[in-house]
Amino acid sequence: MSLEEVGSVFSTLSARPASVNQAEADEWGEEVQRRLSPAASSTADDSLLDAYSRAVTGAVGRASPSVVNIEVQQSAGRRRSGESPERRGGGSGFVFTPDGLILTNSHVVHDARRIEVTLADGRRMPASAIGDDPASDLAVVRVDEPSLTAAALGDSQQLRVGQLVVALGSPYGFQSTVTAGVVSALGRSLRSYSGRLIDDVIQTDAALNPGNSGGPLVDSAGRVVGVNTATILPAQGICFAIGINTAKFVASRLLRDGRIRRSYIGVSAQTVPVHRRVVRFYDLAKESGALVLSVE
């Protein structure tokens, strides 16, 4: 085949159908090239990252002024000489009323002899324990400081699996530490160090470390939806937070009575979804129920 014949074949293959408008075809070709170009792809990726970053930074900006660092001195038992040595510990917390009420974990301040709080602006001041509830691992402490920035409280019942959440705290003394992740599961049960099961616990993959305990778990709007409480150390990305709805109930009772009185029936249960076929057959009003785990 001669060069002229080869050129004729390529010309035929590259020609556009007569039915296609020439201007539209040229515009379509330019749009395809623009979308496939590396620069366009990079710009689109930057836009996505900017949107994610804006969501995280916006939530942190709204919630971080209320986050505090808590340092405690606790009794470490008694020695043979009769002395009572002290051990230092700490965690995080957040202001939930402008007059200085702070919500944190019970295991952070339980049996504390002295509590000191460092605010987000660096001010350091003593605090007193209002009450703590080991059964839900929640506690309320107070500082005598008016006009503090209080965190906005959300609704943990409105959370959805996969929703963006941000954990704030001061792990290992590094204040204003931020980690982001998603809600991994809802309705978990977690056994507190008192032995009682905590219901409606949020599982998240937002990294938690010792010192994050008591800090807030917030949504993309900066509303507190949980109180960071525990992590499974051998695992990667299995962390837990107590739902803010539970925290609201516990905090109100601690403020009123200083403790919570609970009945005890010796049954441990967990909220689980009911199979859709069972819900339809019995025409159940709800799609979840209580699974009895143990009877004591």
Side-chain angles (χ1 to χ4, degrees):
M1 182 180 291
S2 65
L3 292 177
E4 290 79 10
E5 292 173 334
V6 172
S8 176
V9 170
F10 275 105
S11 299
T12 303
L13 291 175
S14 61
R16 296 184 179 89
S19 60
V20 178
N21 182 276
Q22 185 68 36
E24 292 180 355
D26 292 339
E27 183 179 353
W28 175 82
E30 292 174 359
E31 178 68 14
V32 170
Q33 292 297 329
R34 185 181 65 80
R35 292 188 180 185
L36 293 179
S37 65
S41 178
S42 177
T43 303
D45 291 343
D46 291 342
S47 300
L48 291 175
L49 290 175
D50 285 344
Y52 177 81
S53 298
R54 284 195 297 270
V56 175
T57 56
V60 173
R62 286 183 283 270
S64 59
S66 65
V67 180
V68 302
N69 173 253
I70 300 175
E71 293 185 7
V72 301
Q73 291 185 353
Q74 298 169 315
S75 174
R78 289 188 176 275
R79 296 175 179 172
R80 292 183 178 179
S81 61
E83 297 179 355
S84 180
E86 292 184 345
R87 64 182 179 189
R88 300 183 67 87
S92 305
F94 60 93
V95 179
F96 66 97
T97 63
D99 58 349
L101 291 177
I102 297 170
L103 192 62
T104 185
N105 283 146
S106 173
H107 73 262
V108 172
V109 299
H110 188 69
D111 290 336
R113 291 186 172 184
R114 186 168 60 184
I115 306 174
E116 288 187 341
V117 169
T118 303
L119 302 179
D121 57 10
R123 287 181 293 168
R124 189 183 181 92
M125 60 194 66
S128 57
I130 300 297
D132 75 294
D133 180 38
S136 62
D137 197 20
L138 292 169
V140 175
V141 300
R142 183 168 196 163
V143 294
D144 293 326
E145 187 69 23
S147 303
L148 295 180
T149 302
L153 304 184
D155 184 359
S156 54
Q157 291 294 326
Q158 299 300 319
L159 286 175
R160 296 293 181 268
V161 175
Q163 182 174 339
L164 172 67
V165 286
V166 180
L168 295 90
S170 56
Y172 296 108
F174 294 99
Q175 296 186 22
S176 302
T177 299
V178 177
T179 55
V182 298
V183 175
S184 302
L186 296 168
R188 297 294 197 207
S189 294
L190 182 67
R191 191 172 296 277
S192 66
Y193 64 93
S194 69
R196 188 182 182 94
L197 283 178
I198 308 173
D199 296 325
D200 293 330
V201 174
I202 304 165
Q203 180 184 332
T204 175
D205 68 348
L208 301 179
N209 293 288
N212 271 120
S213 297
L217 184 74
V218 304
D219 60 13
S220 58
R223 297 181 296 254
V224 180
V225 293
V227 182
N228 303 324
T229 186
T231 183
I232 298 180
L233 294 179
Q236 297 291 329
I238 301 181
C239 306
F240 300 98
I242 302 167
I244 195 61
N245 289 10
T246 301
K248 290 176 185 178
F249 170 80
V250 172
S252 65
R253 296 301 186 273
L254 292 178
L255 290 172
R256 187 185 69 182
D257 305 324
R259 64 189 183 117
I260 296 182
R261 302 175 63 92
R262 289 186 175 89
S263 58
Y264 178 74
I265 61 175
V267 174
S268 298
Q270 178 179 347
T271 303
V272 295
V274 179
H275 196 281
R276 185 61 181 167
R277 184 181 301 173
V278 177
V279 174
R280 291 179 176 177
F281 183 82
Y282 292 102
D283 193 21
L284 300 180
K286 294 187 176 181
E287 297 184 0
S288 61
L291 173 65
V292 177
L293 299 178
S294 62
V295 178
E296 301 176 7

